[in-house]
Amino acid sequence: MGEFDLIARYFKRKTPSALQPPAPSATNSVAIEAPPIALGIGDDCALLTPAPGQQLAISTDMLVKGRHFFPDVDPAALGHKALAVNLSDLAAMGAEPVAFTLALALPPERAADDAWMSAFAQGLFALADEHRCPLIGGDTTAGPLNICITVFGQIPVGQALRRDGAQPGDDIWVSGTLGEARLALLALQGQIELAPERLAVLRERLERPIPRIALGRALRAIATSAMDLSDGLSGDLTHMAVASGVGAVLDSMALGKAVGPVAECVSPRPADPVSLALTGGDDYELLFTASPGQRDTVNALAVASALPLTRIGQIRSGSGLWLDDGAGGQSAIARTGYDHFA
Amino acid sequence: MGEFDLIARYFKRKTPSALQPPAPSATNSVAIEAPPIALGIGDDCALLTPAPGQQLAISTDMLVKGRHFFPDVDPAALGHKALAVNLSDLAAMGAEPVAFTLALALPPERAADDAWMSAFAQGLFALADEHRCPLIGGDTTAGPLNICITVFGQIPVGQALRRDGAQPGDDIWVSGTLGEARLALLALQGQIELAPERLAVLRERLERPIPRIALGRALRAIATSAMDLSDGLSGDLTHMAVASGVGAVLDSMALGKAVGPVAECVSPRPADPVSLALTGGDDYELLFTASPGQRDTVNALAVASALPLTRIGQIRSGSGLWLDDGAGGQSAIARTGYDHFA
């Protein structure tokens, strides 16, 4: 099968449901414009026409075999995750998904593996369809397996959630639970043991992260800053604090709560829950700040969206990250987020 | 050096000249809006605000070591080419460059090689600055060397040059000369011999293609369809003919002219000039169609832009590619464009 047949077979869809007008969303009371895709796959460029008053949010992520995923990963999960990590960046800005491009380097034996290719495309498009985010262009080449997705979202001008808006006195919040993807990774690497049914649950967190698109949109009017957690809380929160020119104090009790009950179920314990929360990585949850006056609103949002939102600390003036032990002591937190070249 | 230091050192520029308002262009009599970049590198997403009445043109290309470039390629040339092949896609749509993202997988020894990294960044940004097209985001990871650029351009709604607009009776044109990059490749592979000074000239064509941005913009009002030549004329023209639902007849004399004098200078001759024109690859010239009434306009454009524009054939109804031998004979041309999985 040649390059153009490959594209036609797996990636060119005549009537993607993602091109249909979006359904009304519970967390969005604003009318949504028709998707702005003027031209999709098949020409030198795709063409987008953003609606008046909208900005385009753009993010790109590259996934490399052996670094971002295991060589024997379920291809459907890989297709899902490659798009999910990009959609997570849109969520962090409060943007609505619009479309994505896919550049794919494939070893020839993968390209010839129909079961693998079909499953990859199925995983990719299932998530794309869920977010009405069609594939509008790309590139396919032979080479070591590498997946590069660039995603486009739209957001009303001036409403984007940036990471430089945190103010002293703001609460610090995280969505969902932290550290579960890391536990799954440790188990798959043989560093800890998990019961099979427990591993199955945590492995979903590692391999099929859920981009918090609806939460990001709801936070437009609530949060002072936001970002997604991909490299671990301590490293990511450091980026936010530096961008905002502030420091942060985290509450160790609340952090333990954000990790949830799973840390109690493993043997041997890989680390204390607080360390797991701080250094987890691959969480793809949202980290955001909001003024204390928004606590009721945030708590109501957690209930309405059936997603835990945990208040884990407070922004303060100055710089650095600090851990409050709940007994009056504070200690500096080392930045220990993931770094590909560290 | 860590991932974030790497980005800060080589790719984050405080005052890129590309963010300055563009200078007036000789081939553009329309006033240009300020660049629409609302937020660049450093957050989860970049933000673009296209000017009212403008569409965004988007293209993505992935370059893999050993397939798109030699492992020992001049890193400055590699930086240039990685962006050039993407800008060439904007040129083919008649779009004005706006910005690009860069996803980069680097072996750790490359990331630690300051001379290589600096030269790569220099080659990349020299071309970006020339086209006032700033880097607005990206991703850096360890892995087998892989460069994925996604480029954004803008174009007034409805003016994009698509590949599906060719009409029976239209002339077929190409810019510049064809086959020179292929000759350089054959020489570098040791399949043909070239005098060193000749190879130096042709190698520039292979390693530093010039995206025909100004030509693409000028063609908005002239051409019925356009695309860039990357995989070889016969394959690329087949894509255009299929998209437009037409056939094409090429003039062998004119094709020989489009190859230029270089084919006469090599030993042994790798192929006849017509075959070289048809199967060259890596030309990054524009292929376009226009009605015969536009011949004087196109010829005047060639003079004004000091770039040869050669009329190489005609669109006709039906399908397929045909070669006219100039003596009344016509033969079918096999599609022989480059295919990464063929």
Side-chain angles (χ1 to χ4, degrees), chain B residues 15 65 69 71 102 122 136 154-155 194 197 224 226 237 303 310 332 336:
Chain B
T15 53
K65 187 183 76 169
F69 55 90
L102 167 69
Q122 181 274 320
I136 56 167
Q154 62 181 11
I155 186 165
L194 291 176
E197 65 275 13
T224 53
L237 181 55
V303 172
T310 308
T336 46

Side-chain angles (χ1 to χ4, degrees), chain A residues 44, chain B residues 87-94 161 173-176 178 210-217 219 226-229 233 240 283-289 307-310 312:
Chain A
D44 293 279
Chain B
L87 290 174
S88 181
D89 284 316
L90 292 186
M93 301 295 283
L161 297 169
W173 298 82
V174 291
S175 67
L178 304 181
I210 299 169
R212 304 301 186 188
I213 295 289
L215 175 62
R217 290 183 48 190
L219 289 176
M227 67 182 294
D228 78 328
L229 289 170
L233 175 62
M240 178 185 271
D283 289 314
Y284 298 104
E285 296 292 349
L286 294 191
L287 169 70
F288 62 97
T289 58
L307 178 67
L309 299 175
T310 308
I312 58 168

Side-chain angles (χ1 to χ4, degrees), chain A residues 5-24:
Chain A
D5 300 320
L6 204 70
I7 293 166
R9 177 153 185 179
Y10 298 109
F11 300 115
K12 193 167 182 177
R13 302 193 301 166
K14 283 202 170 64
T15 53
S17 58
L19 280 168
Q20 303 305 313

Side-chain angles (χ1 to χ4, degrees), chain B:
Chain B
M1 186 179 306
E3 174 186 357
F4 301 101
D5 300 320
L6 203 70
I7 292 166
R9 176 152 186 179
Y10 298 109
F11 300 115
K12 194 168 182 177
R13 302 193 301 167
K14 283 204 170 63
T15 53
S17 60
L19 280 169
Q20 304 304 314
S25 156
T27 55
N28 174 36
S29 56
V30 182
I32 302 171
E33 299 279 339
I37 297 138
L39 183 64
I41 293 178
D43 215 306
D44 293 279
C45 295
L47 294 173
L48 290 188
T49 317
Q54 300 275 327
Q55 285 182 321
L56 214 64
I58 299 168
S59 179
T60 192
D61 272 298
M62 180 175 263
L63 270 62
V64 174
K65 187 183 76 169
R67 184 153 288 270
H68 299 92
F69 55 90
F70 291 106
D72 63 348
V73 68
D74 169 12
L78 182 59
H80 173 100
K81 186 165 179 174
L83 182 58
V85 301
N86 279 282
L87 290 174
S88 181
D89 284 316
L90 292 186
M93 301 295 283
E96 187 76 28
V98 166
F100 72 105
T101 60
L102 167 69
L104 191 59
L106 288 167
E109 66 274 15
R110 276 289 180 231
D113 181 345
D114 180 60
W116 196 94
M117 290 297 299
S118 296
F120 176 82
Q122 181 274 320
L124 180 77
F125 286 125
L127 185 65
D129 287 353
E130 185 185 329
H131 292 282
R132 299 176 184 280
C133 183
L135 179 67
I136 56 167
D139 191 18
T140 310
T141 179
L145 186 55
N146 183 307
I147 305 158
C148 182
I149 284 180
T150 306
V151 75
F152 312 99
Q154 62 181 11
I155 186 165
V157 173
Q159 292 190 24
L161 297 169
R162 299 166 55 149
R163 58 176 68 172
D164 61 1
Q167 300 290 326
D170 280 354
D171 293 328
I172 303 170
W173 298 82
V174 291
S175 67
T177 48
L178 304 181
E180 293 180 322
R182 176 62 172 275
L183 285 177
L185 181 65
L186 291 170
L188 292 171
Q189 290 173 332
Q191 297 188 43
I192 62 170
E193 268 184 57
L194 291 176
E197 65 275 13
R198 173 65 56 187
L199 176 57
V201 171
L202 297 191
R203 192 170 181 159
E204 282 285 295
R205 293 299 314 272
L206 176 67
E207 295 186 347
R208 291 182 179 269
I210 299 169
R212 304 301 186 188
I213 295 289
L215 175 62
R217 290 183 48 190
L219 289 176
R220 285 179 193 167
I222 299 169
T224 53
S225 70
M227 67 182 294
D228 78 328
L229 289 170
S230 55
D231 295 336
L233 175 62
S234 62
D236 289 331
L237 181 55
T238 298
H239 290 306
M240 178 185 271
V242 168
S244 299
V246 296
V249 190
L250 295 175
D251 174 341
S252 59
M253 293 281 286
L255 276 185
K257 225 172 78 184
V259 172
V262 298
E264 307 303 322
C265 305
V266 297
S267 167
R269 292 272 296 277
D272 65 293
V274 169
S275 295
L276 195 62
L278 288 173
T279 63
D282 259 350
D283 289 314
Y284 298 104
E285 296 292 349
L286 294 191
L287 169 70
F288 62 97
T289 58
S291 83
Q294 297 281 6
R295 283 179 195 173
D296 289 349
T297 309
V298 174
N299 286 324
L301 181 61
V303 172
S305 55
L307 178 67
L309 299 175
T310 308
R311 185 158 52 86
I312 58 168
Q314 200 158 44
I315 297 296
R316 67 180 192 188
S317 58
S319 66
L321 262 53
W322 307 84
L323 188 67
D324 188 321
D325 63 12
Q330 288 193 354
S331 52
I333 299 172
R335 175 185 142 175
T336 46
Y338 192 77
D339 185 315
H340 283 284
F341 294 100

Side-chain angles (χ1 to χ4, degrees), chain A:
Chain A
M1 188 180 305
E3 175 186 357
F4 301 100
D5 300 320
L6 204 70
I7 293 166
R9 177 153 185 179
Y10 298 109
F11 300 115
K12 193 167 182 177
R13 302 193 301 166
K14 283 202 170 64
T15 53
S17 58
L19 280 168
Q20 303 305 313
S25 156
T27 55
N28 174 34
S29 56
V30 182
I32 302 171
E33 299 279 337
I37 297 138
L39 183 64
I41 293 178
D43 215 306
D44 293 279
C45 295
L47 294 173
L48 290 187
T49 317
Q54 299 277 324
Q55 285 182 320
L56 215 64
I58 299 169
S59 179
T60 192
D61 272 298
M62 180 175 264
L63 270 63
V64 175
K65 188 184 76 171
R67 183 151 289 269
H68 299 92
F69 55 91
F70 292 105
D72 63 347
V73 67
D74 169 11
L78 182 59
H80 173 100
K81 186 164 181 176
L83 183 58
V85 301
N86 279 282
L87 290 175
S88 182
D89 284 316
L90 292 186
M93 301 295 282
E96 187 77 28
V98 165
F100 72 105
T101 59
L102 167 69
L104 192 57
L106 287 168
E109 67 273 15
R110 276 289 180 231
D113 181 345
D114 180 60
W116 196 94
M117 291 296 300
S118 297
F120 176 82
Q122 181 274 320
L124 180 77
F125 286 125
L127 185 65
D129 287 353
E130 186 184 327
H131 291 283
R132 299 177 184 278
C133 183
L135 178 67
I136 56 167
D139 192 18
T140 310
T141 179
L145 186 55
N146 183 307
I147 305 158
C148 182
I149 285 181
T150 306
V151 75
F152 312 99
Q154 62 181 10
I155 186 164
V157 173
Q159 293 190 23
L161 297 169
R162 299 164 57 148
R163 59 176 67 171
D164 60 2
Q167 299 291 326
D170 280 354
D171 294 327
I172 304 171
W173 298 81
V174 291
S175 66
T177 48
L178 304 181
E180 294 179 322
R182 176 62 171 276
L183 285 177
L185 182 64
L186 291 171
L188 292 171
Q189 289 173 333
Q191 297 189 42
I192 62 170
E193 267 182 58
L194 291 177
E197 65 277 12
R198 173 65 56 187
L199 176 57
V201 171
L202 297 190
R203 192 170 182 160
E204 282 285 295
R205 292 301 313 271
L206 176 66
E207 296 186 346
R208 290 181 179 269
I210 299 169
R212 302 302 187 188
I213 295 290
L215 175 62
R217 290 184 46 190
L219 289 175
R220 285 179 194 168
I222 298 169
T224 53
S225 71
M227 66 183 295
D228 77 329
L229 289 170
S230 55
D231 296 336
L233 175 61
S234 62
D236 289 332
L237 181 55
T238 298
H239 290 304
M240 178 185 271
V242 168
S244 299
V246 296
V249 191
L250 295 176
D251 174 340
S252 59
M253 293 281 285
L255 276 186
K257 224 174 78 183
V259 172
V262 298
E264 308 302 322
C265 306
V266 297
S267 165
R269 293 272 296 276
D272 66 292
V274 170
S275 294
L276 195 62
L278 288 172
T279 62
D282 259 352
D283 289 315
Y284 298 104
E285 294 294 348
L286 294 191
L287 169 70
F288 61 96
T289 58
S291 84
Q294 298 282 7
R295 283 179 195 173
D296 289 349
T297 309
V298 174
N299 286 324
L301 182 60
V303 173
S305 55
L307 178 67
L309 299 175
T310 308
R311 185 157 53 85
I312 57 168
Q314 199 159 46
I315 297 296
R316 68 179 191 190
S317 58
S319 66
L321 261 55
W322 307 85
L323 188 67
D324 188 320
D325 62 12
Q330 289 193 352
S331 52
I333 300 172
R335 175 185 142 175
T336 46
Y338 191 77
D339 186 316
H340 283 285
F341 293 100

